[in-house]
Amino acid sequence: MIDYEAGLWRPLCSLHGSVLQHALRWALPISILCGVMSWGIRVVWSQSTEWFQDMGIGDRLRDFSFILGFLIVFRSNKAYSRWWEGGTLLQQLRGEWFNAFS
């Protein structure tokens, strides 16, 4: 159990035991990489192609939402198949125990 000191802001700003530090470990480098890649694409391709300049924030948000939705569905499907496999194995185990004692 985490012991917190008395005070209003101390528990809210504590990093010990927080998921924030683990999330930032992944989110911060990826955010920086995406920013650098976006800047590089804008600098390199902005002179030669017009499709990048016409691409608005709505198009980027649509593409991001599609990719994020695809990943969430994939992970949910994988988790459900693992859950179903675990339930099947538990039923098989129950049957084996039932056969052993009868």
Side-chain angles (χ1 to χ4, degrees), residues 20-65:
L20 181 65
Q21 59 188 345
H22 298 293
L24 284 178
R25 191 176 299 158
W26 286 95
L28 196 61
I30 291 173
S31 299
I32 292 170
L33 178 66
C34 288
V36 168
M37 287 176 63
S38 176
W39 175 78
I41 288 172
R42 191 177 310 121
V43 168
V44 172
W45 286 354
S46 65
Q47 293 90 13
S48 61
T49 59
E50 296 176 3
W51 66 269
F52 188 76
Q53 293 173 351
D54 294 337
M55 187 175 178
I57 190 70
D59 296 332
R60 292 178 188 167
L61 185 60
R62 181 199 61 216
D63 296 342
F64 175 75
S65 298

Side-chain angles (χ1 to χ4, degrees), residues 1-96:
M1 187 167 128
I2 300 172
D3 294 327
Y4 293 108
E5 296 177 14
L8 177 64
W9 297 106
R10 185 69 178 162
L12 295 176
C13 299
S14 176
L15 288 180
H16 181 66
S18 174
V19 73
L20 181 65
Q21 59 188 345
H22 298 293
L24 284 178
R25 191 176 299 158
W26 286 95
L28 196 61
I30 291 173
S31 299
I32 292 170
L33 178 66
C34 288
V36 168
M37 287 176 63
S38 176
W39 175 78
I41 288 172
R42 191 177 310 121
V43 168
V44 172
W45 286 354
S46 65
Q47 293 90 13
S48 61
T49 59
E50 296 176 3
W51 66 269
F52 188 76
Q53 293 173 351
D54 294 337
M55 187 175 178
I57 190 70
D59 296 332
R60 292 178 188 167
L61 185 60
R62 181 199 61 216
D63 296 342
F64 175 75
S65 298
F66 173 76
I67 293 170
L68 183 64
F70 181 77
L71 292 175
I72 288 173
V73 167
F74 178 75
R75 286 180 57 97
S76 298
N77 190 16
K78 193 72 164 171
Y80 181 72
S81 66
R82 288 179 182 171
W83 178 81
W84 193 254
E85 182 183 3
T88 304
L89 291 174
L90 280 175
Q91 288 295 325
Q92 183 180 359
L93 179 68
R94 180 180 172 266
E96 294 290 330

